[in-house]
Amino acid sequence: MIDSSISAETIESAISWLAGFTEKPGEQGVTRPLYTKSWKQALFALRQRFEKLGMTVEFDQVGNLIATVEGCEKPESIIACGSHIDTVSRGGRFDGQLGIVAAYLAIKNLLTRYGKPKKSLRIVCLAEEEGSRFPYVFWGSKNFFGLAKKEDVENICDSEGVPFETAMREAGFNYQTTQPKFANLEAWIELHIEQGPTLYSNHEDLGIITSIAGQHRWDVHLKGVQNHAGTTMMSYRHDAVDCMSHIIAKNLDKAKKAGDPLVLTFGRISVVPNQVNIVPGEVTFSMNCRHTDKAFLDKFLQELDEDIHETAKSYGITAQIDKWMSDDPTPLSDDIINLLKDQANKQGYAYRVMHSGAGQDTQIFAPFVKSGMIFVPSKDGISHAPEEYTDPQDAVHGVKLLRDALHSLAYED
Amino acid sequence: MIDSSISAETIESAISWLAGFTEKPGEQGVTRPLYTKSWKQALFALRQRFEKLGMTVEFDQVGNLIATVEGCEKPESIIACGSHIDTVSRGGRFDGQLGIVAAYLAIKNLLTRYGKPKKSLRIVCLAEEEGSRFPYVFWGSKNFFGLAKKEDVENICDSEGVPFETAMREAGFNYQTTQPKFANLEAWIELHIEQGPTLYSNHEDLGIITSIAGQHRWDVHLKGVQNHAGTTMMSYRHDAVDCMSHIIAKNLDKAKKAGDPLVLTFGRISVVPNQVNIVPGEVTFSMNCRHTDKAFLDKFLQELDEDIHETAKSYGITAQIDKWMSDDPTPLSDDIINLLKDQANKQGYAYRVMHSGAGQDTQIFAPFVKSGMIFVPSKDGISHAPEEYTDPQDAVHGVKLLRDALHSLAYED
C-alpha cells in the first residue's frame, strides 16, 4: 500500500501500479484508449483507492469519475483537481496519469495531516482528452460542462470500425442526459507533464501556467496542372509542390522570426499523383498554428491565409483552405496563478511562469471555474512515447505544490 | 484496307485500327502493356500488314518485331524506322504507336510509288519503352543492341506480382541468347509525338530533334527529429518538411532562372509520421532533372547535391541521397538532322529544331547508328492520357517528312 507521504517512492509506486492497466501488457508503454477494458479496469481500481480515503465516488453518465470528500464548514464550495487517464497508443506513464496520481497523493496527505477540509475536495478523472481512439478530443471535460453534443460522436468510429456509441454502451456508459453538476466548483488545478523541453533543458523544477495556447488547424488544397516532367518547360508549369514549398518555407521563416510562443507546423503532405516523373498537379497539406495571444494569432493567420491565395495566384494555381479547428487561447485564473507562485516561492522552487503549447482539459474548465495548471519537466521533451519520463524529484515538487495550493484553498480560505 | 496514300484519313484509319488492341476495350484510352494479350495481338496483326507489303518479318527473342524489304543494290545496308507499341495504363493512341503507323504508311507509299529500294528498308516495333508494367524502361531497344542483361529483370514483378520472366515466357518469348543483329543498320529515324506543348502552342508543324535530354533521378531522405507540434518551440525544432521546402523552393527558383532546356521536378513526397499535430521527423522526396548539355547538367546537379547537404546541416538534419538514374544527354546524328531540315525546307514546313525532354528509344540507338527523330505537335502538350491528340494534318506532315528522308537514304544514296 502507498503511505500518505509524498516522495519519489510513493509517486513511482502509484505510477507503476496505474501503468499496469494497459491493453497491451508486456509491450513497452501504456495503451489505454477510451472505453476499453484496461481503461475501465483502471477507473474501477482508482474508485477503490479513493473510497479507502473516505471519499464519495460517482461516475457521470459518460464515464468521468468524481471522488469527493465533503468539507466540514462550506461543503457546497468545491476545490477540484485531477486530469485524464486515457492514453495514446503506446504512450507514456505520465501524460494525464501523473495528474491523477498527484491529486490522489496530495489529498491523501492533506487528509492524514489535517483531517477534514473546510471546503469540499474533489478529484475528477476525465474520460477522454487525447482523442486517440476516436476523432474527438476533450469528450470527458466537454461533457462535464455540458459542451458536448450527442451529434458530435454518433457517426464516428475507431480504426477498427467500432462506433463511438457502441463502445460507450459496452463499457456501461451512455450520453449525458441530465445537466452536468459543476455549479459549485470554486477552483480547478491540473498537474501535468510539460511534454516539451523548456523546463528540462533550463533545469527548472516546475512551470506555472498562465494560459493555454489557441490552436488552429487547416487543410490547404492546391490544384495546379499535372504534366510530363521531361517535356513541360519550367515556364509552362503550374507545379503544386513548387507553390506549396514556397508557402511553407516563407511562412516558417516568418514564424521563427516572430519567436515564442508562436509555433507553426506543416505536418501532413499528400501529393497527386506522387510520381518521380510527373509535375505534381495537386497537393494537400495541413497547417497547425498556436499562440497564447488571440489578436497576434488571428493577425498571423489572416496574413498566412492571404499569402496562400496570393502565392497560389502567382503560380496559376487555385487554393482552397478548409479551416477545421479554431480554438482561441485560454487565459487561466490570476488568483490561482498568484497562489501557485506564492506557494512555490515559499518552498524555494525554481519555477517558470509559462504557457501550455499543448491543448489541455483545463482549457475547457477555465471559462467556468477559476483554473490553474502546474507543469513538471519532461526529460528531453519526449511525450506520447514509451520513453516519456519525469524525474521523481521533480514530480515530488509538483505534487507538493498542488497539495499546498489545495490546502490554502480548502483548509485556510 | 488502307490505301498507299499518306492522308489524314489513312492515318486516322490506321491509328483507330491499332487502338482497338487494348486490355480494356470500352474504356477510354489505350492500355497495352508489355507481354499482355492485347500487346501480342497487336504485334501479330502488324506482322500480317507488313507481310502484305512483301516485307520479311521476324521476331527477336524478347519480342521486338523486325520487318524488312530487301534492297536491290545494297541489301546489306539497312535504313530503319519505327517506334514502340506498348502503352502506359489508359494512355493515348499516338505515343509510340504513331511512329509505327508512320513507318508503315511511309514505306507502303514508297514501295507503291518507287518499287524496290536500293538499300534495305526496315520497320522495328520495339517491345517496351514505357516501363509501365514492369519497373524497367527501354527493354526492347536495349535488347536490340545487346545492352540488357538477364539479371536486370529476373527479380522484378508487375503490380499484380507476376514475375517478368513468367510474363515473357507466357507471351512466347525468352531472354536474348544470340547476339542481336544490328551491325548493318545504317540509319534510324523515329517519328514521335512531342508530349509537350512547344510545337502546339507555337503553331509549328514539326520538330526536328538534335538531342535527347540527359536525365537524373534521386531519392532524397531527410532525417530530423519528430516532436510535439504544440510544445516544441520553433528554435528547438529539426523539422524535415521545413528543410525540404527550403531546398525545393530555392532550387526550383534557380532552375526557372536557368531557363530552357533545364527541367527540374520534385514529384514525390513522403512524410513521417504525416500528422497534423506532429513536427515531421522524416521526409523522402524525389528529384528528376533533365538537360541536353552534359556539362551544364552535371554542374547543376553537383550544386543541388551540395545545397541539400548544406541546408540539411543548417537544420541539424541528416541528408542521404540515393542517385538511382543518371542518363547522359544523347546527341543525334548531324547527317540525319541536316537531311530532315533539307527535306522540311523543300516542303515548306514550319519546323522547330529542338531537343526531346522525354526519354526515347532513339537514345539507345544513337550511340550505334546514325539516328534522328521527327516530332509532331501534341494538343495542349497532353500525353499519357486518353486526351492525347495530334491534328491529322500535322501527322501527315510528319509521315511525309519521314517518307522523304527514307527515300533519300534508301533510294537515292
Side-chain angles (χ1 to χ4, degrees):
Chain A
M1 284 302 295
I2 297 159
D3 68 28
S4 65
S5 65
I6 297 169
S7 65
E9 290 71 29
T10 54
I11 292 171
E12 170 55 30
S13 165
I15 280 286
S16 291
W17 168 78
L18 190 52
F21 299 95
T22 171
E23 287 297 293
K24 311 261 169 114
E27 205 180 84
Q28 265 202 313
V30 180
T31 300
R32 191 192 303 134
L34 180 68
Y35 298 141
T36 57
K37 193 177 163 193
S38 62
W39 174 86
K40 201 173 164 184
Q41 286 174 331
L43 274 184
F44 279 81
L46 283 166
R47 175 190 198 146
Q48 279 196 317
R49 295 236 160 166
F50 298 152
E51 284 174 341
K52 276 194 189 158
L53 292 187
M55 300 181 92
T56 310
V57 185
E58 58 178 330
F59 285 100
D60 72 2
Q61 283 175 294
V62 300
N64 292 312
L65 185 150
I66 302 152
T68 312
V69 55
E70 204 162 81
C72 55
E73 290 184 13
K74 297 183 189 168
E76 72 286 359
S77 289
I78 302 167
I79 308 300
C81 58
S83 192
H84 61 96
I85 68 151
D86 62 296
T87 71
V88 298
S89 186
R90 293 195 72 217
R93 314 192 312 164
F94 296 87
D95 179 1
Q97 301 150 96
L98 183 61
I100 305 293
V101 164
Y104 170 70
L105 289 175
I107 289 177
K108 187 175 185 189
N109 186 268
L110 286 171
L111 296 175
T112 308
R113 286 170 70 172
Y114 307 108
K116 284 243 170 192
K118 290 184 189 170
K119 296 179 181 172
S120 296
L121 276 170
R122 174 172 285 178
I123 302 173
V124 184
C125 298
L126 292 156
E128 166 84 320
E129 191 249 19
E130 300 288 359
S132 56
R133 179 173 178 188
F134 298 98
Y136 191 85
V137 295
F138 304 139
W139 169 249
S141 45
K142 282 190 170 174
N143 267 284
F144 204 73
F145 290 94
L147 299 173
K149 293 193 297 287
K150 191 177 168 179
E151 296 79 0
D152 294 343
V153 294
E154 66 188 357
N155 289 315
I156 62 179
C157 294
D158 68 9
S159 63
E160 286 169 8
V162 179
F164 190 100
E165 190 177 342
T166 305
M168 177 168 60
R169 286 192 199 280
E170 283 177 0
F173 299 104
N174 203 336
Y175 295 118
Q176 196 85 42
T177 51
T178 54
Q179 192 61 21
K181 295 176 202 157
F182 58 84
N184 294 329
L185 279 190
E186 191 180 298
W188 162 261
I189 304 178
E190 180 176 10
L191 180 146
H192 205 280
I193 58 168
E194 184 194 347
Q195 304 180 273
T198 312
L199 295 173
Y200 182 80
S201 58
N202 288 289
H203 308 289
E204 287 158 332
D205 299 329
L206 296 168
I208 294 172
I209 307 308
T210 52
S211 69
I212 297 166
Q215 183 180 176
H216 291 243
R217 296 185 182 186
W218 300 351
D219 281 335
V220 181
H221 182 66
L222 300 177
K223 189 161 168 45
V225 180
Q226 178 177 327
N227 236 319
H228 191 296
T231 58
T232 316
M233 298 292 99
M234 300 308 281
S235 54
Y236 283 96
R237 297 185 176 199
H238 304 274
D239 178 340
V241 160
D242 188 4
C243 179
M244 174 193 75
S245 294
H246 280 83
I247 291 167
I248 291 180
K250 180 182 170 187
N251 287 285
L252 284 176
D253 285 349
K254 195 177 159 191
K256 283 175 240 171
K257 211 172 162 189
D260 296 345
L262 185 75
V263 284
L264 177 64
T265 308
F266 299 95
R268 196 177 58 213
I269 296 176
S270 163
V271 180
V272 175
N274 213 32
Q275 288 187 18
V276 61
N277 59 343
I278 300 184
V279 179
E282 291 181 51
V283 62
T284 303
F285 62 97
S286 68
M287 193 289 306
N288 184 344
C289 188
R290 314 187 198 204
H291 196 283
T292 52
D293 183 88
K294 179 171 160 51
F296 187 98
L297 184 56
D298 288 348
K299 182 168 176 287
F300 187 86
L301 289 167
Q302 195 194 323
E303 288 172 9
L304 175 57
D305 182 309
E306 286 164 10
D307 183 62
I308 289 168
H309 283 104
E310 272 169 32
T311 307
K313 200 176 167 189
S314 74
Y315 279 85
I317 278 174
T318 58
Q320 194 182 312
I321 306 178
D322 174 20
K323 300 177 177 179
W324 53 278
M325 181 197 273
S326 56
D327 290 350
D328 285 337
T330 308
L332 302 188
S333 159
D334 285 338
D335 288 356
I336 306 287
I337 294 163
N338 289 330
L339 170 62
L340 291 171
K341 279 194 212 170
D342 289 347
Q343 299 290 351
N345 285 328
K346 269 186 203 163
Q347 302 300 332
Y349 297 141
Y351 66 89
R352 171 181 292 251
V353 176
M354 64 188 292
H355 75 281
S356 170
Q360 307 285 357
D361 279 320
T362 295
Q363 72 196 61
I364 306 299
F365 281 68
F368 300 92
V369 183
K370 276 186 185 177
S371 297
M373 285 194 83
I374 300 164
F375 268 10
V376 292
S378 292
K379 183 168 186 294
D380 296 325
I382 295 167
S383 184
H384 286 190
E387 295 75 21
E388 191 181 80
Y389 183 72
T390 293
D391 186 292
Q393 200 49 52
D394 290 323
V396 168
H397 296 149
V399 179
K400 285 188 172 170
L401 181 60
L402 175 66
R403 177 202 60 195
D404 294 343
L406 294 176
H407 182 262
S408 171
L409 290 164
Y411 286 83
E412 293 178 351
D413 207 16
Chain B
M1 283 303 293
I2 296 160
D3 68 27
S4 65
S5 65
I6 297 171
S7 66
E9 290 70 30
T10 52
I11 292 172
E12 171 54 31
S13 166
I15 282 285
S16 291
W17 168 78
L18 191 51
F21 300 95
T22 171
E23 286 297 293
K24 312 258 168 115
E27 205 180 83
Q28 267 202 313
V30 180
T31 300
R32 192 191 303 133
L34 181 69
Y35 298 140
T36 57
K37 193 176 164 194
S38 62
W39 174 87
K40 201 172 163 185
Q41 285 174 332
L43 274 184
F44 278 81
L46 283 167
R47 175 190 197 146
Q48 278 196 318
R49 295 235 161 168
F50 298 152
E51 283 173 342
K52 277 193 190 158
L53 292 187
M55 300 180 92
T56 311
V57 185
E58 57 178 330
F59 285 99
D60 73 1
Q61 284 176 294
V62 300
N64 292 312
L65 185 151
I66 302 151
T68 312
V69 55
E70 204 161 82
C72 56
E73 289 185 14
K74 297 183 191 167
E76 72 286 358
S77 288
I78 301 167
I79 309 299
C81 56
S83 192
H84 60 97
I85 67 150
D86 62 297
T87 73
V88 298
S89 186
R90 295 194 70 218
R93 314 193 310 166
F94 297 86
D95 180 0
Q97 300 150 97
L98 182 61
I100 304 293
V101 165
Y104 170 71
L105 289 176
I107 288 176
K108 187 174 185 189
N109 186 269
L110 286 171
L111 295 176
T112 308
R113 286 171 70 171
Y114 306 107
K116 284 244 171 191
K118 291 185 189 171
K119 296 180 182 172
S120 296
L121 276 171
R122 174 171 287 179
I123 302 173
V124 184
C125 299
L126 292 156
E128 166 84 320
E129 191 249 21
E130 301 288 358
S132 56
R133 178 174 180 187
F134 297 98
Y136 191 87
V137 295
F138 305 137
W139 169 248
S141 46
K142 281 189 171 173
N143 267 284
F144 204 74
F145 291 93
L147 300 173
K149 292 193 297 288
K150 191 177 169 182
E151 297 78 6
D152 294 343
V153 292
E154 66 187 358
N155 288 315
I156 63 179
C157 294
D158 69 8
S159 62
E160 285 169 9
V162 179
F164 190 100
E165 190 177 343
T166 305
M168 177 168 58
R169 285 194 199 279
E170 284 178 0
F173 300 102
N174 203 336
Y175 296 117
Q176 195 84 43
T177 50
T178 54
Q179 193 62 22
K181 296 174 204 160
F182 57 85
N184 294 330
L185 279 190
E186 190 180 299
W188 162 260
I189 304 178
E190 180 176 9
L191 180 146
H192 205 280
I193 58 169
E194 184 194 346
Q195 304 181 273
T198 312
L199 295 172
Y200 183 80
S201 58
N202 288 290
H203 308 288
E204 287 160 332
D205 300 329
L206 296 169
I208 294 172
I209 308 307
T210 51
S211 69
I212 297 167
Q215 183 180 177
H216 291 243
R217 296 185 181 186
W218 300 353
D219 281 335
V220 181
H221 182 67
L222 301 177
K223 190 162 167 46
V225 179
Q226 178 178 329
N227 236 319
H228 191 297
T231 58
T232 316
M233 298 292 99
M234 299 307 282
S235 54
Y236 283 96
R237 297 184 177 198
H238 303 274
D239 179 341
V241 161
D242 188 3
C243 180
M244 173 194 74
S245 294
H246 280 83
I247 290 167
I248 291 180
K250 180 181 170 187
N251 286 286
L252 284 176
D253 285 350
K254 195 177 159 192
K256 283 175 242 174
K257 210 170 161 189
D260 296 345
L262 185 74
V263 283
L264 177 64
T265 307
F266 298 95
R268 196 176 58 213
I269 297 176
S270 163
V271 180
V272 175
N274 211 33
Q275 289 186 17
V276 60
N277 58 343
I278 299 183
V279 179
E282 290 181 52
V283 62
T284 303
F285 62 97
S286 68
M287 193 288 306
N288 184 342
C289 188
R290 314 188 197 203
H291 196 285
T292 52
D293 183 87
K294 178 169 160 54
F296 187 97
L297 186 56
D298 288 348
K299 181 169 177 287
F300 187 86
L301 290 167
Q302 194 193 323
E303 288 172 8
L304 175 57
D305 181 309
E306 286 165 9
D307 183 62
I308 290 168
H309 284 104
E310 272 169 32
T311 306
K313 199 177 169 190
S314 74
Y315 279 84
I317 278 174
T318 57
Q320 196 181 311
I321 305 177
D322 174 20
K323 301 178 178 180
W324 55 276
M325 182 198 274
S326 55
D327 288 351
D328 284 338
T330 308
L332 302 188
S333 158
D334 285 338
D335 288 354
I336 306 287
I337 294 164
N338 290 331
L339 171 61
L340 291 172
K341 280 194 215 170
D342 288 347
Q343 299 290 351
N345 285 329
K346 269 187 205 165
Q347 302 300 332
Y349 298 141
Y351 65 89
R352 171 181 292 252
V353 176
M354 63 189 292
H355 76 281
S356 171
Q360 308 284 358
D361 279 320
T362 294
Q363 74 196 61
I364 307 300
F365 282 68
F368 300 92
V369 183
K370 277 187 186 176
S371 297
M373 284 193 84
I374 300 164
F375 268 11
V376 291
S378 293
K379 182 170 188 291
D380 297 325
I382 294 169
S383 184
H384 285 190
E387 295 75 21
E388 191 180 83
Y389 183 72
T390 293
D391 186 295
Q393 200 48 53
D394 289 324
V396 168
H397 295 149
V399 179
K400 285 189 172 169
L401 180 59
L402 176 65
R403 177 202 59 194
D404 294 344
L406 294 176
H407 182 263
S408 172
L409 290 164
Y411 286 82
E412 294 176 352
D413 207 14

